[in-house]
Amino acid sequence: MYQEKIEAIKAAITAADATTPDQLEAYRMEFISKKSVVGELFAAMGQIPNEEKRTYGQVVNSVKQLAEEKFQELIEKVSSSNKKSKSADIDLTLPPSNYRLGGIHPLTATRQRIIEIFERIGFNLSEGPEIEDDWHNFTALNFPENHPAREMQDTFFIEKNPDIALRTHTSSVQVRVMENQKPPIRTLSPGRVYRNEAISARAHCIFHQVEGLYVDENVGFADLKNTLY
């Protein structure tokens, strides 16, 4: 009698199919789990006559092996089906997403914020070269010939006679503005500057300056104080 039941279970296993994870789980519950029909066959071992138990056990084990092999086939089938469906969901003709990559450097963010504030109160942005001549970096700003800043120990010189150096301040930008623009002038000059200093936790040979220039009639300390506020 049990032979007919076993043959029916084997036929059901062979005919079983699954294309989704839910169907795969249903198969597992029906044929693989402890409470499955195969599990019931093992549980019925006690009702089998002793002379038939060995043959019965071999047959049930073969059914269990058949169920497990079928389960592995269905796992691969469902996995392959999911990969194909995911690939089909991708439209390769779509433009790339506008995700922001990276972030703004703190120095750049601070510079932008300072410029934004000063532009709001009427200052224009002025920029100039980081490699400057002696006139714009020193002479036009009334640096005497023997000033320490004109020495090699304080300034990075690129050429001598005539002197060409990495600018030591952004005041050189203000000189260029005044050469090319008549008052009133209200300008902001942010930028990198270079000085020959020992590098430490508090100092570096490259740093940033922000200078403001306001040239007009009736401009006094009150205007400076209010601008700083």
Side-chain angles (χ1 to χ4, degrees):
M1 181 177 179
Y2 66 81
Q3 288 91 344
E4 294 180 0
K5 183 176 181 179
I6 288 175
E7 290 301 321
I9 292 174
K10 289 171 68 176
I13 291 172
T14 303
D17 192 17
T19 56
T20 66
D22 290 341
Q23 293 174 345
L24 187 64
E25 177 62 14
Y27 175 91
R28 188 190 71 81
M29 293 298 295
E30 185 176 0
F31 298 106
I32 302 295
S33 68
K34 290 183 178 180
K35 295 183 179 180
S36 66
V37 292
V38 177
E40 291 175 357
L41 292 177
F42 279 104
M45 179 74 74
Q47 303 173 9
I48 304 299
N50 289 336
E51 61 273 14
E52 298 181 15
K53 281 185 177 180
R54 181 174 180 180
T55 302
Y56 177 82
Q58 291 175 344
V59 172
V60 173
N61 278 326
S62 68
V63 175
K64 178 184 177 183
Q65 183 177 355
L66 178 66
E68 290 176 346
E69 290 175 354
K70 183 68 174 184
F71 186 53
Q72 290 300 318
E73 291 178 11
L74 295 178
I75 289 175
E76 294 176 4
K77 181 178 180 180
V78 172
S79 176
S80 176
S81 177
N82 286 341
K83 288 179 180 178
K84 289 180 180 178
S85 64
K86 288 180 180 178
S87 299
D89 292 338
I90 300 174
D91 186 352
L92 299 179
T93 64
L94 290 175
S97 300
N98 292 323
Y99 289 123
R100 292 182 60 187
L101 300 178
I104 298 177
H105 192 280
L107 286 174
T108 302
T110 303
R111 171 193 167 100
Q112 291 175 349
R113 178 61 177 150
I114 293 172
I115 292 172
E116 176 188 336
I117 293 171
F118 275 84
E119 284 182 339
R120 196 165 62 238
I121 58 177
F123 281 74
N124 296 317
L125 178 65
S126 298
E127 295 181 311
E130 296 181 13
I131 299 176
E132 274 290 10
D133 55 41
D134 177 89
W135 167 258
H136 291 96
N137 198 68
F138 296 122
T139 305
L141 294 165
N142 293 324
F143 278 75
E145 290 292 334
N146 60 349
H147 194 281
R150 290 179 178 270
E151 301 297 330
M152 295 290 292
Q153 67 266 20
D154 284 347
T155 301
F156 292 108
F157 285 94
I158 297 175
E159 293 182 8
K160 295 292 287 182
N161 299 318
D163 290 347
I164 304 294
L166 297 179
R167 67 183 181 189
T168 58
H169 41 219
T170 55
S171 302
S172 58
V173 180
Q174 299 177 17
V175 175
R176 292 180 178 275
V177 171
M178 288 186 287
E179 284 178 335
N180 297 284
Q181 181 179 333
K182 293 183 179 180
I185 296 172
R186 189 185 293 184
T187 186
L188 188 73
S189 308
R192 284 188 295 265
V193 296
Y194 307 83
R195 294 183 188 174
N196 190 11
E197 297 183 5
I199 298 175
S200 67
R202 296 180 296 175
H204 201 278
C205 61
I206 305 173
F207 58 99
H208 290 73
Q209 274 190 347
V210 180
E211 296 188 36
L213 176 67
Y214 188 7
V215 181
D216 201 356
E217 295 181 352
N218 301 317
V219 176
F221 183 79
D223 296 280
L224 172 62
K225 187 175 181 181
N226 189 57
T227 300
L228 294 176
Y229 276 137

